[in-house]
């Protein structure tokens, strides 16, 4: 996330009124009054006890040292299935790009036509988290004024612009899990159809490699089979979050401890996964996390993945396979079970992977170890040597042999 020093104010357009009434209705439907407050149960009963919140917190697997805000909303029943620290403020990182997009589209009526030049910016901003596009709209449309407008229009209770002195850092916008659910509920249930379809279509086409070469298919994208639609966020100094066959170092959004504001922690690395899961976008999931300073991307990916898989997400389907930790740095995922085949990508150091089957192939030697078994990683579409899997066995005991073709 690059610093933007020049911000000019855009006057509010009359077309903004097209969204106001429906956004107000959404605000009234989703409002909560306290951090982690339980949602109203179906039929008007309120699950309003500390024991309910404690039970949810105990069920959700939050790793030691990780701070998390979690909300899962079932659109079919109109109730939350998970709520942990739902009102806690986190720096948004790239989740704010949803608000940048909504703010831009607010003035498009009545047909919501998007000029080709803007489509060329908005699509990669939503699919691949392009920072240059976010910089453009942050400057062109008024910086923190964008956040102020969206807070008013959507009835957000915990969202606020970057702290004083950091106005150019759009990723320092404060947001909470419950406000993130409100944003998605507005997009899905209240926004004009062209707005809903544009945003959700692009989120369904999320690319594994972000524009800055960061591997962004963590959390929701790794924990559940499609259909899903995601907008991810990351901010901080990660040891390694590279993506793609070249292993190019990512340009992760940075935050400095000396710039920390009292209301939002800007010092610890952030990794957020948000979006919808299941047919008809049944569940809205928001998981915002902070990790200890010095955490590698592989560790954060793994911790967020375990947390996300522990959630009660109606409509979700878990992928087939076994999760294993890995070791080594920049391990290749190859087209075939041999080092002579092409590299599809390189794995961030220590990242957890899903293995669906294994087969024998070329022998790999990392003294004092040798291994000719290879694991197939369905989420990457390729093979990695079992020598880099955290297991004492060359052939993994709980993973089937790949069917021959």
């Amino acid at each position: 996330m690059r610093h933007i020093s020049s911000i000019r104010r855009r006057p509010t357009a009359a077309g903004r009124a097209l969204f106001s009434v429906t956004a107000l209705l959404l605000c009234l439907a989703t409002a909560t009054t306290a951090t982690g407050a339980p949602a109203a149960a179906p039929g008007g009963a309120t699950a309003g006890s500390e024991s309910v919140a404690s039970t949810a917190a105990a069920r959700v697997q939050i790793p030691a040292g990780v701070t998390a805000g979690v909300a899962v909303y079932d659109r079919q029943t109109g109730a939350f299935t998970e709520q942990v620290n739902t009102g806690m403020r986190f720096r948004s990182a790239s989740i704010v790009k949803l608000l940048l997009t909504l703010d831009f589209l607010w003035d498009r009526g009545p047909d919501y036509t998007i000029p080709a030049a803007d489509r060329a910016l908005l699509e990669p901003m939503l699919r691949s988290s392009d920072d240059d596009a976010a910089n453009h709209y942050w400057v062109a449309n008024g910086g923190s004024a964008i956040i102020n407008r969206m807070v008013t229009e959507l009835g957000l209770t915990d969202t606020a612009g970057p702290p004083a002195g950091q106005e150019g850092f759009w990723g320092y916008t404060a947001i909470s899990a419950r406000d993130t659910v409100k944003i998605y509920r507005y997009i899905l249930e209240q926004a004009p159809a062209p707005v809903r379809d544009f945003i959700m279509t692009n989120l369904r086409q999320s690319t594994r490699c972000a524009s800055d070469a960061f591997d962004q298919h963590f959390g929701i994208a790794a924990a559940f089979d499609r259909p899903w639609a995601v907008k991810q966020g990351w901010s901080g100094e990660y040891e390694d979050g590279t993506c793609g066959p070249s292993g190019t170092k990512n340009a992760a959004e940075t935050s400095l401890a000396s710039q920390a504001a009292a209301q939002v922690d800007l010092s610890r690395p952030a990794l957020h996964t948000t979006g919808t899961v299941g047919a008809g976008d049944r569940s809205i999931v928001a998981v915002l996390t902070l990790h200890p300073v010095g955490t590698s991307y592989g560790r954060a990916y793994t911790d967020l993945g375990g947390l996300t898989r522990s959630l009660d997400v109606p409509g979700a389907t878990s992928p087939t396979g076994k999760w294993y930790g890995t070791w080594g740095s920049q391990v290749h995922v190859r087209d075939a079970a041999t080092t002579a085949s092409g590299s599809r990508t390189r794995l961030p150091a220590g990242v957890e992977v899903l293995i669906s089957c294994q087969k024998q192939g070329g022998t790999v030697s990392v003294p004092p170890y040798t291994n000719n078994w290879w694991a197939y990683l369905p989420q990457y579409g390729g093979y990695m040597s079992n020598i880099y899997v955290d297991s004492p066995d060359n052939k993994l005991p709980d993973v089937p042999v790949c069917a021959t073709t």
Side-chain angles (χ1 to χ4, degrees):
M1 181 184 71
R2 289 188 286 278
H3 180 267
I4 304 300
S5 59
S6 174
I7 297 177
R8 62 180 184 274
R9 184 179 298 275
R10 180 186 65 173
T12 303
R16 200 167 298 279
L18 294 173
F19 283 177
S20 299
V21 174
T22 52
L24 177 60
L25 292 175
L26 177 64
C27 167
L28 295 174
T30 61
T32 54
T33 59
T35 299
T46 301
S49 68
E50 292 183 2
S51 62
V52 172
S54 298
T55 300
R59 181 176 60 247
V60 177
Q61 297 176 13
I62 301 176
V66 175
T67 299
V70 179
V72 179
Y73 179 77
D74 182 355
R75 296 177 61 233
Q76 182 170 303
T77 64
F80 284 89
T81 60
E82 303 287 12
Q83 294 188 98
V84 179
N85 297 328
T86 60
M88 180 180 291
R89 287 179 163 183
F90 295 77
R91 66 188 186 278
S92 69
S94 289
I95 308 307
V96 75
K97 290 168 183 173
L98 294 173
L99 296 180
L100 298 183
T101 304
L102 279 173
D103 184 73
F104 170 82
L105 293 173
W106 217 274
D107 292 335
R108 296 298 102 191
D111 59 359
Y112 298 96
T113 299
I114 302 175
D118 288 296
R119 187 176 291 273
L121 292 173
L122 292 168
E123 289 182 348
M125 186 172 78
L126 292 172
R127 298 179 191 182
S128 305
S129 208
D130 186 82
D131 286 350
D132 289 336
N135 292 340
H136 167 78
Y137 290 109
W138 188 256
V139 172
N141 294 337
S144 293
I146 298 169
I147 308 305
N148 295 337
R149 290 193 291 266
M150 291 295 97
V151 165
T152 299
E153 303 287 9
L154 302 184
L156 306 178
T157 56
D158 311 308
T159 302
Q166 309 299 328
E167 292 86 354
F169 288 90
W170 41 261
Y172 287 174
T173 296
I175 203 166
S176 67
R178 66 183 175 191
D179 271 2
T180 303
V181 169
K182 286 183 183 181
I183 293 167
Y184 279 103
R185 287 200 66 192
Y186 173 77
I187 294 168
L188 291 165
E189 299 169 8
Q190 303 294 333
V195 174
R196 179 194 65 230
D197 293 345
F198 177 78
I199 293 175
M200 297 308 297
T201 296
N202 280 288
L203 297 188
R204 293 187 222 288
Q205 298 180 57
S206 170
T207 60
R208 173 170 287 281
C209 293
S211 294
D212 65 358
F214 202 85
D215 185 340
Q216 65 166 352
H217 272 189
F218 47 79
I220 295 168
F224 307 116
D225 281 338
R226 292 180 185 271
W228 46 250
V230 295
K231 183 69 205 78
Q232 316 281 56
W234 54 95
S235 177
E237 294 291 350
Y238 285 102
E239 176 186 333
D240 179 20
T242 58
C243 185
S246 65
T248 305
K249 185 67 178 177
N250 76 85
E253 300 167 356
T254 60
S255 62
L256 304 178
S258 61
Q259 298 172 338
Q263 65 174 357
V264 178
D265 186 332
L266 302 181
S267 62
R268 287 183 288 168
L271 200 65
H272 307 324
T273 184
T274 77
T276 65
V277 180
D281 300 299
R282 175 169 175 176
S283 289
I284 299 172
V285 179
V287 183
L288 312 180
T289 62
L290 294 174
H291 302 259
V293 173
T295 298
S296 69
Y297 172 73
R299 179 74 262 159
Y301 181 111
T302 297
D303 284 347
L304 178 59
L307 192 167
T308 305
R309 293 196 300 274
S310 75
L311 302 177
D312 178 5
V313 181
T317 302
S318 299
T320 300
K322 297 289 185 179
W323 289 95
Y324 272 93
T326 63
W327 67 277
S329 180
Q330 293 293 295
V331 174
H332 287 277
V333 179
R334 297 191 178 276
D335 294 328
T338 170
T339 57
S341 65
S343 176
R344 301 179 70 86
T345 189
R346 290 174 179 259
L347 296 177
V351 74
E352 191 177 41
V353 295
L354 182 73
I355 300 174
S356 62
C357 66
Q358 59 189 326
K359 65 185 294 185
Q360 288 181 297
T363 298
V364 176
S365 178
V366 180
Y369 309 107
T370 59
N371 198 336
N372 72 339
W373 283 92
W374 290 70
Y376 181 71
L377 312 184
Q379 296 181 333
Y380 294 86
Y383 295 85
M384 67 170 286
S385 170
N386 278 14
I387 206 167
Y388 295 109
V389 178
D390 282 338
S391 171
D393 303 297
N394 280 4
K395 181 184 179 184
L396 304 176
D398 54 357
V399 175
V401 174
C402 299
T404 57
T405 56

